[in-house]
Amino acid sequence: MPKIKILQEDQSYTFSAYFDLPYETDDILREFDYSFIKTELSLPQTDQPVVNELLLIKEKIRKILPLISLSSETARRETLVAPILLEIIAICHCQLKIEYPLRVSDRLKGTLDYLLHSTHDLLVIEAKKDDLTKGFTQLAVELIALSEITDQDIFYGAVTIGNLWQFGKLDKVEKTIYQDLNLFKIPDDLLDLGKILLGILA
């Protein structure tokens, strides 16, 4: 298949602009010389005894879900995303940067929704318009930007629409981005999700 030229040399692109581009993820990532593979990822998981803390937040979310309208991105972020991430950083004592500005180049710049920093970095973004597919494209480009400024070979990220989460992995040596085929549903899969988030950060 011939290479499609998507990005224009004289144009500037923010991370959110990649969400709006009408192209497939693999075509966009090819512009950065990255391959794209969908697969079932074997994600790190913590072996810390953290079940009680995660169970408490799971039950709290289960109780409040019937009482809240999740029709806006702000509502989903404040009700479903932020509480989980705040609990994760309380458990692992890692840093959380919210709306973190990053500029690597004219093609790699913008604001990262959530950047968790411990032994490894973990990037979490909220997909606009409930679109996980385009949200993953944006996540992948942001992972490429992170890989340009951070001295590690493997990077993990997650994209969420609040009640669903999907993970991605960037391998800098292989120049490949992997999209996990598994989806994690909130609140049902919150224990598994939490163990993975903590496993990546450890």
Side-chain angles (χ1 to χ4, degrees):
M1 184 176 176
K3 183 176 178 180
I4 304 168
K5 191 66 181 168
I6 293 172
L7 304 182
Q8 305 304 311
E9 297 292 343
D10 57 345
Q11 283 194 29
S12 181
Y13 297 88
T14 62
F15 297 136
S16 59
Y18 291 97
F19 183 95
D20 297 318
L21 289 177
Y23 301 102
E24 296 294 328
T25 304
D26 57 343
D27 290 330
I28 292 173
L29 296 184
R30 202 176 292 122
E31 296 277 307
F32 297 96
D33 297 319
Y34 268 82
S35 301
F36 176 58
I37 296 174
K38 295 180 181 180
T39 186
E40 286 196 32
L41 286 175
S42 178
L43 295 162
Q45 291 198 31
T46 186
D47 52 8
Q48 287 181 13
V50 294
V51 173
N52 287 342
E53 293 99 319
L54 295 173
L55 274 177
L56 286 173
I57 194 165
K58 176 179 177 178
E59 289 312 309
K60 185 175 182 181
I61 289 174
R62 195 184 294 282
K63 285 178 184 175
I64 63 174
L65 273 180
L67 309 173
I68 293 177
S69 168
L70 297 175
S71 57
S72 74
E73 290 172 24
T74 302
R76 291 190 292 274
R77 180 170 61 245
E78 295 186 7
T79 307
L80 295 174
V81 182
I84 293 172
L85 296 182
L86 291 174
E87 188 62 40
I88 293 299
I89 65 168
I91 294 170
C92 71
H93 304 289
C94 53
Q95 291 185 335
L96 172 62
K97 296 177 180 177
I98 302 172
E99 295 189 358
Y100 181 65
L102 177 63
R103 181 187 177 96
V104 177
S105 68
D106 280 345
R107 292 184 174 190
L108 295 171
K109 64 180 183 179
T111 304
L112 310 179
D113 289 349
Y114 303 97
L115 181 61
L116 294 89
H117 178 72
S118 183
T119 310
H120 294 93
D121 287 336
L122 169 63
L123 175 63
V124 176
I125 77 163
E126 186 180 4
K128 295 182 289 184
K129 304 173 189 171
D130 278 358
D131 192 330
L132 272 180
T133 301
K134 287 182 173 290
F136 189 88
T137 301
Q138 182 178 339
L139 172 70
V141 173
E142 292 183 19
L143 285 173
I144 291 172
L146 265 184
S147 75
E148 295 282 319
I149 62 163
T150 309
D151 188 23
Q152 62 189 60
D153 292 333
I154 302 293
F155 294 81
Y156 289 99
V159 58
T160 179
I161 56 172
N163 60 344
L164 286 177
W165 289 62
Q166 184 176 43
F167 283 93
K169 172 184 169 183
L170 178 148
D171 188 316
K172 196 192 309 194
V173 176
E174 296 180 358
K175 297 280 282 186
T176 302
I177 290 176
Y178 299 90
Q179 181 182 36
D180 192 13
L181 292 175
N182 297 306
L183 296 176
F184 295 84
K185 187 178 178 184
I186 302 302
D188 293 353
D189 301 328
L190 197 147
L191 278 178
D192 291 333
L193 174 72
K195 287 178 181 178
I196 291 169
L197 293 173
L198 290 165
I200 291 171
L201 290 164

